[in-house]
Amino acid sequence: QVQLVESGGGLVQAGGSLRLSCAASGRTFRSYTVAWFRQAPGKEREFVAVSTWSGGRTYNSDAVKGRFTISRDNVKNTVYLQMNSLKPEDTAVYYCAVTYVDGAGGRPEKYQYWGQGTQVTVSS
């Protein structure tokens, strides 16, 4: 089992930066794939970025490519999302999620474990 807790959200002006953290606990954490998703009010959950821990590969969605970076600290069992050049359209609740399924990518239905989310609000 995996437990996930997000933190680091807040209010920031457009063009600013935030770093989100996802602290994980549980067995076999380092062998899992971890991803960030976000969801704005009235909108579907949207893929942001993924890190394949077993293979060390990462991928960002087109919406955040070049601005956001997913990374991990395996010693601390923590995943980060560095968010630069923030835009108002980035406003959402951000969730981290973990799966043991290979090839899950950005498909939320493939992820079994989810955090509670952290609010990111970007003002104009």
Side-chain angles (χ1 to χ4, degrees), residues 18-45:
L18 286 172
R19 189 179 75 162
L20 306 184
S21 299
C22 176
S25 61
R27 296 190 181 95
T28 66
F29 177 74
R30 294 174 183 177
S31 66
Y32 282 47
T33 293
V34 62
W36 287 95
F37 297 85
R38 65 187 183 185
Q39 189 166 21
K43 304 294 184 180
E44 294 184 354
R45 190 159 296 184

Side-chain angles (χ1 to χ4, degrees), residues 5-12 17-21 36-42 81 83 86-96 115-123:
V5 179
E6 302 97 335
S7 62
L11 175 64
V12 64
S17 298
L18 286 172
R19 189 179 75 162
L20 306 184
S21 299
W36 287 95
F37 297 85
R38 65 187 183 185
Q39 189 166 21
L81 185 68
M83 309 164 66
L86 283 161
K87 305 175 180 179
E89 50 263 45
D90 296 319
T91 296
V93 177
Y94 283 70
Y95 301 89
C96 62
Q116 295 297 312
T118 185
Q119 177 71 48
V120 172
T121 303
V122 184
S123 62

Side-chain angles (χ1 to χ4, degrees), residues 22-90:
C22 176
S25 61
R27 296 190 181 95
T28 66
F29 177 74
R30 294 174 183 177
S31 66
Y32 282 47
T33 293
V34 62
W36 287 95
F37 297 85
R38 65 187 183 185
Q39 189 166 21
K43 304 294 184 180
E44 294 184 354
R45 190 159 296 184
E46 176 189 9
F47 166 73
V48 176
V50 63
S51 174
T52 304
W53 285 32
S54 59
R57 296 183 293 273
T58 64
Y59 180 79
N60 293 342
S61 71
D62 290 340
V64 307
K65 187 176 179 64
R67 300 187 297 120
F68 293 8
T69 303
I70 186 171
S71 62
R72 63 187 185 274
D73 185 333
N74 290 332
V75 175
K76 295 182 178 180
N77 286 328
T78 301
V79 178
Y80 303 98
L81 185 68
Q82 179 64 48
M83 309 164 66
N84 298 326
S85 301
L86 283 161
K87 305 175 180 179
E89 50 263 45
D90 296 319

